[in-house]
Amino acid sequence: MDNLLRKLANPFSHSETSYLSIMTWLTKWAIRSFAIPLTSESGSKGLLVIKKIRHWVIFACTGFTWFFYNVMYSFWFYKYIHNSHGSKALPVWQKTIAFFFLINYILIFGLYVCLFFRKRELLQVLKTCVWIETKCMSKGASQYTKIKIFSNIDACKVSLFAIPVMLGALGLFLPCMPPSIANTLLLECRDGWGDQDAEVWVRLINGFVQGYVWFSVPAVMVITITRVLLYPSVMVELWIKMIERQLGHYHYASHGLAAFRVAQVFQNLVNAVMSRPLITIFVFLTILSEIISLYVIITSWKNLSFGVSAFFYLMGIDYFVIIHIALHSLSKSYVVTVKFAKNMKSLRSRSAWFKKFLTSCPPLKVGMGDGKFFDGLTSFIIWQFCVDRLINMLLLEK
């Protein structure tokens, strides 16, 4: 416990020599939300798809709660935001905040559904990542951890607990403010978002339920970011570098090049999990959330309470890190395999088998849809897209 508190207090001073422990820790806490169809049984090794009836019941209840929140919040948004005109029209910053929570509810529920239908592929990806890192460490891999990867993991770790605490407190003290649905079910909220007439029991129930929902929401995001996007890309990079190092030391070890097939199969497995609509939903969510977070921070921070401001600052930081690290990491597979093929062309130039095998090893790619894929510049292009849209929104408002 003392070690955990020390890391949370000073998350950037890492001494880990591998990603295994921190990834295991994040996965353990994420599956405790029962928003991921996986579990870790006591006495068993690793993870497995949930099988017990009570686990399925809790998982179904989580899904039903999400669906209920989606429906009720969408109804509230349509009635009080979309149809607000004339004297009843809300300020732009309030509409923007309401829209932020709407897209998060809907799109993260979409990620939840995608991971449910691809639960077996997800389980295989999680297990294979651990196998690859363990295998590479046994082959002598060392000093491959990077502080920028840990910074992304730290952001996920903090968000996993900070977001439900913030949103739970928001539901307790401001039950009429989004993303609460108490304003639709229980309260009239005559004085708008700042209405404080709710009974204590209503506040407590609303805060608890909202905190639980927003513990599940970051859990899905944490699994998607760390175990589906970030960790597999880092492991593919590590695996290819291990192959290259083996071929450099043992020029006649043909089995080293054959290990490239493992990377190909693993990348295809990861792409199966990330295929449409999951990767489309995630990129769309990232872009919109970053734009809206920056917009709210720049234009409306004077109108917000400390807790709401802190939430949007946290969201802005989180999505900034996601764009520059998590999304950028998706280009690692392509970049490292292009470099690998280039370096291997001059190696074993007399071996016809080597040349033929190398031609059957195209660069590994992570697709974005529409025939595009993540390359070395993708994260900066996405960030530029976010900034451009933010400037356009500010110009339109003026």
Side-chain angles (χ1 to χ4, degrees), residues 56-265:
W56 277 114
V57 169
I58 300 174
F59 179 78
C61 289
T62 301
F64 174 78
T65 304
W66 273 29
F67 180 75
F68 181 75
Y69 254 75
N70 270 271
V71 172
M72 296 307 300
Y73 189 81
S74 298
F75 172 76
W76 175 86
F77 185 89
Y78 176 80
K79 183 177 181 180
Y80 295 101
I81 304 298
H82 183 268
N83 284 342
S84 62
H85 304 289
S87 59
K88 295 183 178 180
L90 297 176
V92 175
W93 66 271
Q94 289 191 0
K95 291 183 177 181
T96 304
I97 291 177
F99 182 68
F100 173 86
F101 289 113
L102 178 68
I103 63 169
N104 273 268
Y105 273 141
I106 295 176
L107 296 181
I108 296 179
F109 183 75
L111 295 178
Y112 164 85
V113 173
C114 289
L115 293 180
F116 168 71
F117 282 106
R118 298 167 190 173
K119 53 185 176 294
R120 300 193 183 280
E121 292 86 351
L122 173 64
L123 176 63
Q124 197 60 42
V125 167
L126 267 58
K127 288 184 175 181
T128 306
C129 285
V130 174
W131 178 84
I132 288 177
E133 186 165 10
T134 305
K135 189 76 172 178
C136 290
M137 290 175 65
S138 67
K139 295 291 185 180
S142 61
Q143 297 181 346
Y144 57 87
T145 58
K146 299 178 181 178
I147 190 63
K148 67 177 183 179
I149 302 298
F150 278 121
S151 66
N152 188 286
I153 298 173
D154 282 321
C156 292
K157 185 191 337 183
V158 172
S159 300
L160 190 61
F161 298 101
I163 290 177
V165 170
M166 288 180 180
L167 270 298
L170 189 64
L172 176 65
F173 296 107
L174 294 173
C176 287
M177 183 176 180
S180 172
I181 62 171
N183 44 25
T184 304
L185 296 175
L186 302 171
L187 306 175
E188 295 184 9
C189 299
R190 297 185 180 88
D191 297 331
W193 291 4
D195 197 316
Q196 300 292 324
D197 294 335
E199 299 290 338
V200 175
W201 67 272
V202 175
R203 294 171 180 268
L204 290 174
I205 293 176
N206 185 60
F208 174 79
V209 176
Q210 188 163 294
Y212 173 74
V213 169
W214 281 88
F215 177 59
S216 303
V217 168
V220 173
M221 287 294 291
V222 164
I223 287 294
T224 304
I225 294 168
T226 61
R227 300 307 303 267
V228 178
L229 302 179
L230 190 62
Y231 198 27
S233 300
V234 173
M235 289 302 101
V236 169
E237 182 184 42
L238 179 62
W239 184 260
I240 297 298
K241 287 183 177 179
M242 184 195 72
I243 296 173
E244 189 172 354
R245 186 172 62 252
Q246 285 183 335
L247 293 173
H249 291 160
Y250 307 100
H251 297 290
Y252 300 97
S254 300
H255 67 277
L257 183 59
F260 189 89
R261 293 291 186 233
V262 175
Q264 286 182 312
V265 173

Side-chain angles (χ1 to χ4, degrees), residues 283-294:
V283 173
F284 183 67
L285 171 66
T286 301
I287 292 174
L288 269 182
S289 296
E290 179 64 16
I291 293 171
I292 294 175
S293 297
L294 291 175

Side-chain angles (χ1 to χ4, degrees), residues 17 42 361:
T17 57
S42 58
C361 301

